[in-house]
Amino acid sequence: MRTEDLIKALDADARDKAMPLDKAWWLAVGVAVVIAGAVFFATIGPRPDIMPAMHTMRFMSKFVFTLVLAASAFALIRALSVPGASTRRRMAWMLAAPLLVVLAVVLELFVVPEADWGKRLIGSNMMICMSFIPLIGIGPLAIFLGMLRYGAPTRPVLAGAVAGLLAGGLAATFYAAHCFDDSPLFVATWYTIAIAFLTGLGALGGRFFVRW
């Protein structure tokens, strides 16, 4: 069988599933949000001063970063789970969240005295961030890897990595409601490392559990 014929056959198989793949992805995200929320509220929960914090730009900017990451990763992973689907434009959108973070960091460096840069970067919840973003995201990651098996990704390692980014963006969104460190310097460093852990775990999952 030629490669083109195989891709068409896989695509037809994905479309003939009991539930349409696109609808299944939306359902999977809904379940993942519930699981992540349950873990979040059962463990650390939101910060006590969340209402006044919501009136500050630094606090709200964290949600912009994490939600843009989650949204762009969701768009890409849906395409990656269908053989032959175009991914170029969606891959480009994956740059949106990192660029926003870089812009915020540059602005932070301009408005914060240089003597405070290190303090803002280290923060006070580094280890909590590094622990709870993966903890909140591990359940959603398992769901997204299962969804990739429901589809037929031709690049399972990449698809698994994007599943990790999606889980990481979702987990970081919840964690941001708890985090007392609102500086973009902190977010750019420790959120990124925590999400990178889930991304690597997702790539491994794609390598061993999604490949066909």
Side-chain angles (χ1 to χ4, degrees), residues 35-36 39-40 43-44 128-140 171 194 197-198:
I35 292 175
V39 173
F40 172 72
T43 53
I44 50 177
I128 296 176
C129 173
M130 296 277 285
S131 301
F132 277 93
I133 289 180
L135 178 63
I136 296 169
I138 193 69
F197 174 80
L198 287 168

Side-chain angles (χ1 to χ4, degrees), residues 76 86-94:
L76 179 56
S86 175
T87 59
R88 180 173 299 179
R89 182 174 297 180
R90 299 183 186 194
M91 288 282 285
W93 275 107
M94 291 300 298

